[in-house]
Amino acid sequence: MSYTMPEFLAHAIAMEREAAERYLELADMMEAHNNLEVAALFRDMVRYSNLHGDSIVERAAGLELPTLKSWQYRWVAPTEVGDEDAFDYTMTPWQALEYARENEGRAMNFYRTVSETSTDPTIKPLAMEFATEEADHMMALDKMISQTQRP
Amino acid sequence: MSYTMPEFLAHAIAMEREAAERYLELADMMEAHNNLEVAALFRDMVRYSNLHGDSIVERAAGLELPTLKSWQYRWVAPTEVGDEDAFDYTMTPWQALEYARENEGRAMNFYRTVSETSTDPTIKPLAMEFATEEADHMMALDKMISQTQRP
């Protein structure tokens, strides 16, 4: 898994955009549950993801980025959702938080692995910086999970 | 899993749109592999999915459809793609066909289950009709898989 800078940035941008979209869905859903505290956390994460995505787009200015396939950066489905009942599922706040945490964990592992395996001295510290940001998001989610009733 | 007609049509439209997008990605990828035969099959499936989606949109005219969450109709990731190497994966034609087949199978099962469990006499036959279409797609994929070299 050795990326060029354009490949790495393309993944990072796609991941931030996907995260922003999913957090927006989760925020809307939590409002439907009338859990405004968890909704507010997800709205904050929409904002962070968009800001981070925008800053990576700026950094990528002038580079030609490769086009990625959707499955190269997608969030996984909620683990509670089986194949058969994936279609009429309503998440509780706890499940939404766990779902977000799982995907943040995937993103963090991705960045960390890139940082550890990259031989490019400009990618290494950048990937580590992104991994640290994801770790911060995971901590915020963990804090909220500890305050949320498990279903 | 008992849907109202608007819920059922919203799922069906979302599934057709998602399928069209994924088939387009797969077709592009197969052209990059220079496998024009498999690319042509996927382009046909883009067209069928769009046509079917359009016809369902027509049928839904005048109904207010619910908004679905992305994970309620998403294709699953290719099974060959693990968490760690999901990011620099290149599919062979055989893997692309298997991936498409798996997702067609999920769609077929979804429609069949709706048809079997629905108590609405207008939804039952419609869901069975859609299940039959997906079965046709699976047969086309199976035929191509049998002619494609396994990696």
Side-chain angles (χ1 to χ4, degrees):
Chain A
M1 199 196 292
S2 199
Y3 293 115
T4 62
M5 183 60 89
E7 283 168 347
F8 175 63
L9 295 179
H11 279 101
I13 292 166
M15 288 165 75
E16 295 299 329
R17 297 312 188 209
E18 164 97 3
E21 283 174 37
R22 296 297 82 74
Y23 283 127
L24 192 59
E25 286 184 332
L26 293 170
D28 289 346
M29 218 168 179
M30 292 306 105
E31 270 175 21
H33 272 266
N34 208 23
N35 190 322
L36 302 185
E37 195 182 17
V38 176
L41 174 66
F42 284 139
R43 292 214 188 277
D44 280 347
M45 296 187 84
V46 172
R47 204 167 59 245
Y48 295 142
S49 301
N50 280 332
L51 286 172
H52 192 206
D54 291 346
S55 82
I56 306 170
V57 168
E58 257 177 60
R59 188 190 292 263
L63 295 178
E64 190 171 343
L65 303 186
T67 307
L68 303 176
K69 303 298 174 192
S70 61
W71 55 80
Q72 290 178 306
Y73 58 84
R74 282 195 158 186
W75 277 33
V76 295
T79 46
E80 291 80 8
V81 176
D83 258 321
E84 290 310 312
D85 46 293
F87 297 98
D88 53 353
Y89 192 80
T90 308
M91 274 192 222
T92 63
W94 188 85
Q95 286 164 332
L97 290 162
E98 283 283 324
Y99 169 56
R101 191 188 188 286
E102 188 187 337
N103 282 288
E104 287 290 339
R106 284 174 77 223
M108 188 186 71
N109 286 339
F110 168 70
Y111 288 131
R112 193 175 276 169
T113 307
V114 171
S115 177
E116 282 165 4
T117 59
S118 177
T119 51
D120 182 326
T122 59
I123 292 180
K124 261 181 132 45
L126 193 61
M128 188 46 70
E129 180 193 318
F130 291 178
T132 306
E133 273 193 43
E134 304 302 336
D136 287 347
H137 294 172
M138 284 177 79
M139 281 196 294
L141 289 165
D142 278 339
K143 194 176 156 209
M144 189 65 88
I145 287 169
S146 72
Q147 299 164 5
T148 301
Q149 203 191 345
R150 195 175 166 147
Chain B
M1 200 198 288
S2 200
Y3 292 115
T4 62
M5 183 60 90
E7 283 168 346
F8 175 63
L9 295 180
H11 278 102
I13 291 165
M15 287 165 75
E16 295 299 329
R17 296 314 187 208
E18 164 97 3
E21 283 174 37
R22 294 299 81 75
Y23 283 128
L24 192 59
E25 287 184 331
L26 293 170
D28 289 346
M29 218 168 178
M30 292 306 106
E31 269 174 23
H33 272 268
N34 208 23
N35 190 322
L36 301 185
E37 196 182 15
V38 176
L41 174 67
F42 284 138
R43 293 214 187 278
D44 280 348
M45 297 187 84
V46 172
R47 203 166 61 246
Y48 295 143
S49 302
N50 280 332
L51 285 171
H52 192 207
D54 291 346
S55 82
I56 306 169
V57 168
E58 257 177 60
R59 188 190 294 261
L63 295 177
E64 191 172 342
L65 303 186
T67 306
L68 303 176
K69 303 299 174 192
S70 60
W71 55 82
Q72 291 177 307
Y73 58 85
R74 282 196 158 184
W75 277 34
V76 295
T79 45
E80 290 81 7
V81 176
D83 258 322
E84 290 310 312
D85 46 294
F87 297 97
D88 52 354
Y89 191 81
T90 308
M91 274 192 223
T92 64
W94 187 85
Q95 286 164 332
L97 290 162
E98 283 283 324
Y99 169 55
R101 192 187 186 287
E102 188 187 337
N103 281 288
E104 287 291 338
R106 285 173 77 222
M108 189 186 71
N109 286 338
F110 169 69
Y111 288 130
R112 194 175 275 168
T113 306
V114 171
S115 178
E116 282 166 3
T117 60
S118 178
T119 51
D120 183 325
T122 59
I123 291 180
K124 262 180 130 44
L126 193 61
M128 188 45 70
E129 180 193 319
F130 292 178
T132 306
E133 273 193 43
E134 303 302 336
D136 287 347
H137 295 172
M138 284 177 79
M139 281 196 294
L141 289 166
D142 278 339
K143 194 176 156 208
M144 190 63 89
I145 288 170
S146 73
Q147 298 163 5
T148 301
Q149 203 192 344
R150 195 175 167 147

